[in-house]
Amino acid sequence: MKVDVYKRPESEGKYSYLAVPEGRPIPEEATNIDWETADNNVDLDHDNQPLHGMSAEDAFQQISAKGYAISSVSNKIRIGPNV
């Protein structure tokens, strides 16, 4: 499955990530947040590495249940020189 990935800044230089099936808009319940594009046309596959802190299994389950996947609070990713 191909997905588009968006990010939003959180505290301490960390980011949350949102994955939606490729070409679909960000779901209405998440549009009130300033998401920035992180990656387009990403191959989400059970055999791939985690996608920005989300396991493929978790992302597939979330997309199946609600149409999108979002990284959990405990899996926020730090971006910057102190990675």
Side-chain angles (χ1 to χ4, degrees):
M1 169 189 288
K2 298 283 188 176
V3 296
D4 294 327
V5 182
Y6 302 90
K7 66 180 181 178
R8 70 173 179 208
E10 301 288 348
S11 62
E12 301 174 12
K14 296 182 179 180
Y15 284 80
S16 290
Y17 289 87
L18 173 78
V20 296
E22 181 183 29
R24 291 192 186 166
I26 295 173
E28 188 173 319
E29 63 267 22
T31 58
N32 62 337
I33 299 172
D34 294 329
W35 293 101
E36 305 170 27
T37 300
D39 289 307
N40 286 315
N41 196 26
V42 176
D43 191 18
L44 180 61
D45 187 302
H46 287 288
D47 297 329
N48 289 353
Q49 295 294 320
L51 177 65
H52 297 291
M54 289 181 278
S55 71
E57 181 178 336
D58 182 39
F60 279 121
Q61 288 176 351
Q62 288 189 57
I63 290 170
S64 176
K66 52 188 178 176
Y68 63 93
I70 191 165
S71 58
S72 72
V73 173
S74 62
N75 289 338
K76 291 196 177 11
I77 306 294
R78 179 178 297 279
I79 295 179
N82 297 328
V83 175

